[in-house]
Amino acid sequence: PRRRARTPATKAQTPDSPLRTPRGHRQGMGSVEEISEAVGHAFWDTQPVPSLNAEEEDACGPINPADPEKVRAEPYNLPPAFEWTDLDLSDAEQAKELYTLLHENYVEDGDAMFRFDYSLDFIRWAMQPPGALDYWHVGVRVSQTKKLVAFIGATPADLLCHGQRVEPRPPPAADKAEEGEGGAGASGVNIEEKLSGLDLDGGATGSAASSGGGAAELGDQAVVEVNFLCVHKKLRSKRLAPVLIREVTRRVNEKGIFQATYTAGVVLPRPVARCRYWHRSLNPKKLIEVGFSRLAPRMTMVRTLKLYALPDQPVTKGVRALKEEDVPSCCAKLNAYLRRYKLTPQLSEAEFSHWLVPRKGVIYTYVVEEAGEDGEKEVTDMFSFYSLPSSVLKHEKHTKLHAAYCYYYFANKTPVQQLISDALVLAKRHEFDVFNALDILDNDSLLKELKFGIGDGHLQYYLYNWRCPTVVAREIGLVLL
């Protein structure tokens, strides 16, 4: 499984959409264009993914059947002078190492004006959901100095594709004989049931720095989301990216998972769906000053500020921040809402709590609460956005661009457009400069009405070792970080 080189900002195509697109942002493969070019289609021709010229699929299912007994036991060989390492992101020093690697080597835009600035809290939020394993935080160090010079990560998830749960994990080889051949098939899975915990230990044989996955527990999640592929700028010629991809695949396979999802700003074999980024100015003056956007033809700064002005308060009555006690009901309502889409996740309550309970500077989630017929208050709707700032490079006045990204929502009583309009108001209150959204979920119906401008790049969604018919952007319910 692999992810995409991301570009924090690229120029828009049309005069009426003067914003720069954070192509791929955290939903891409991670690292710069050289990585995508270095991996190339020749690599993907060896992987269980449909070729670009393959006929359209009309059914869902695995490309290669899962066979735990065929999983390679030994780590893949690295070039001389490098060694594998597992990163424990709960450890402050190791988390800072990853932060430094990403900060110094992750994507800048083509004009070297912006660079993503992932906070330590964001990195931990993204890479340590329930079931996350240190064993899947795959790093490469220089053997002599122990400096971290490359990374790729995977996190577990549960995914529906065209109404079918992407193939559940088969039991590990050691357990298969005990359970018999009917142990963990792809059918008969009740997606309404809470995901049960299953403690899986073990690690890579022969890896000099393997931790065996730490104390984390892997639940019943059946896929992984692959993220943060990053190689030090000076090592792009070492072809570490394909080895990183193979190694994280091997480690995921060792735990009995054989499917993955990822996104890319480039076309690889073969997209399940294509979507676009849209951007809504919250602080147009600053965006223009830093070069993120420009004044539209025949527009003055005064008229631009008036165009993008927002009310001081949300329009919807009863909007408040999500609380931990809201998790059970909101998790059930979000899962039910997401099942209307053809490519969509399903969350356990523990996952919902991790991803959506507010964390300052990371994730902002709000609910709409109203009194029911019996007088009891009930949550009817929810919306959320997360924070991913960029460093502004070589600018005299500004050092950081604060961007909010539309995340998950459900709308049972309040129109989606009104919820997202309220999200803009609250993002502005939290001093974000721009609000970004993909044309997935129900977003396409509201973007123009809320004065979003279209970006200049496509984002492709991919599934690894899973064939299915293609879907259009509005049929996607999955938001990858």
Side-chain angles (χ1 to χ4, degrees):
R2 117 163 214 189
R3 291 207 162 191
R4 137 82 178 151
R6 309 165 207 227
T7 306
T10 52
K11 293 180 181 178
Q13 293 175 316
T14 58
D16 60 341
S17 60
L19 300 183
R20 302 165 67 91
T21 300
R23 243 186 297 184
H25 81 334
R26 277 219 13 92
Q27 296 187 333
M29 184 167 184
S31 196
V32 296
E33 290 290 345
E34 293 98 311
I35 288 184
S36 292
E37 295 170 359
V39 174
H41 287 191
F43 169 80
W44 292 107
D45 289 342
T46 68
Q47 303 300 303
V49 294
S51 65
L52 287 173
N53 58 2
E55 294 183 2
E56 174 71 16
E57 302 287 350
D58 58 5
C60 294
I63 295 174
N64 287 346
D67 190 347
E69 295 182 355
K70 292 185 178 179
V71 176
R72 178 187 173 112
E74 299 290 331
Y76 283 91
N77 294 327
L78 286 167
F82 298 98
E83 62 184 32
W84 295 113
T85 185
D86 304 344
L87 289 190
D88 175 7
L89 298 180
S90 298
D91 179 80
E93 183 176 343
Q94 294 182 58
K96 185 64 182 294
E97 286 183 288
L98 179 56
Y99 167 82
T100 301
L101 176 70
L102 296 176
H103 182 73
E104 296 179 354
N105 300 280
Y106 224 39
V107 179
E108 295 177 3
D109 70 305
D111 298 324
M113 297 174 66
F114 305 96
R115 181 191 294 133
F116 287 123
D117 187 11
Y118 300 99
S119 68
L120 287 174
D121 288 340
F122 189 100
I123 292 170
R124 286 169 169 153
W125 177 65
M127 296 306 299
Q128 292 186 305
L133 303 176
D134 296 344
Y135 189 51
W136 292 349
H137 300 159
V138 185
V140 174
R141 296 186 185 276
V142 177
S143 299
Q144 185 174 359
T145 64
K146 306 303 179 185
K147 180 178 180 179
L148 183 70
V149 293
F151 179 82
I152 191 170
T155 53
D158 205 43
L159 192 64
L160 299 181
C161 184
H162 292 271
Q164 177 182 344
R165 187 177 187 235
V166 175
E167 187 173 82
R169 286 186 301 110
D175 299 330
K176 191 172 182 180
E178 298 177 9
E179 293 185 3
E181 295 187 3
S187 61
V189 177
N190 184 356
I191 59 176
E192 299 287 350
E193 293 178 356
K194 291 185 176 66
L195 301 178
S196 59
L198 177 62
D199 187 12
L200 294 176
D201 54 11
T205 305
S207 176
S210 271
S211 68
E217 290 188 350
L218 179 63
D220 194 41
Q221 299 99 324
V223 302
V224 293
E225 299 172 356
V226 181
N227 213 342
F228 283 131
L229 172 57
C230 183
V231 177
H232 194 284
K233 292 177 181 178
K234 294 182 179 180
L235 299 175
R236 300 276 156 78
S237 64
K238 299 291 185 180
R239 291 194 56 79
L240 291 175
V243 186
L244 281 163
I245 296 166
R246 287 191 172 99
E247 179 62 16
V248 76
T249 302
R250 185 192 70 81
R251 294 183 181 207
V252 169
N253 290 167
E254 274 194 324
K255 298 300 184 183
I257 293 179
F258 292 83
Q259 276 72 39
T261 183
Y262 49 98
T263 56
V266 294
V267 176
L268 305 168
R270 189 182 64 186
V272 174
R274 302 182 77 195
C275 55
R276 296 287 291 270
Y277 264 108
W278 291 65
H279 318 278
R280 210 296 187 173
S281 290
L282 302 179
N283 187 350
K285 185 174 185 293
K286 178 178 176 181
L287 296 179
I288 292 168
E289 287 176 348
V290 301
F292 184 90
S293 62
R294 62 183 181 271
L295 279 175
R298 298 180 297 280
M299 285 291 285
T300 65
M301 182 64 75
V302 172
R303 292 176 62 192
T304 299
L305 294 175
K306 184 176 180 180
L307 175 67
Y308 291 112
L310 290 164
D312 294 329
Q313 299 293 331
V315 173
T316 308
K317 302 299 182 183
V319 172
R320 63 165 174 82
L322 177 80
K323 302 175 183 178
E324 188 69 46
E325 53 263 36
D326 300 319
V327 168
S329 64
C330 286
C331 180
K333 290 176 181 179
L334 178 61
N335 282 338
Y337 191 85
L338 290 177
R339 286 198 289 274
R340 68 180 63 191
Y341 303 104
K342 292 184 178 179
L343 182 62
T344 192
Q346 293 289 275
L347 304 178
S348 68
E349 289 183 9
E351 290 170 321
F352 182 98
S353 177
H354 174 86
W355 292 122
L356 288 153
V357 171
R359 303 181 185 211
K360 186 177 180 180
V362 178
I363 176 69
Y364 302 78
T365 305
Y366 295 87
V367 297
V368 179
E369 186 179 60
E370 64 178 40
E373 294 180 358
D374 58 359
E376 293 291 328
K377 290 185 176 180
E378 177 189 6
V379 171
T380 58
D381 311 279
M382 185 195 81
F383 59 90
S384 60
F385 51 89
Y386 63 89
S387 170
L388 179 51
S390 289
S391 297
V392 180
L393 309 179
K394 304 174 184 177
H395 196 276
E396 294 180 356
K397 181 178 179 181
H398 301 289
T399 59
K400 190 165 289 191
L401 180 69
H402 297 278
Y405 288 81
C406 186
Y407 201 38
Y408 289 112
Y409 55 76
F410 61 82
N412 293 327
K413 288 195 174 182
T414 308
V416 175
Q417 181 171 320
Q418 185 171 318
L419 291 178
I420 302 304
S421 178
D422 288 340
L424 297 176
V425 172
L426 292 165
K428 174 70 173 179
R429 182 184 297 176
H430 287 291
E431 300 184 333
F432 285 96
D433 301 313
V434 62
F435 193 100
N436 301 322
L438 290 164
D439 57 354
I440 62 173
L441 297 162
D442 296 334
N443 297 347
D444 187 54
S445 64
L446 55 87
L447 294 169
K448 290 183 180 179
E449 291 295 322
L450 295 181
K451 302 176 184 176
F452 281 75
I454 192 170
D456 68 341
H458 287 88
L459 184 70
Q460 282 70 225
Y461 276 71
Y462 297 91
L463 292 173
Y464 182 89
N465 195 23
W466 191 262
R467 57 170 53 92
C468 70
T470 57
V471 300
V472 296
R474 64 178 178 273
E475 296 172 332
I476 300 171
L478 175 66
V479 184
L480 293 176
L481 293 177

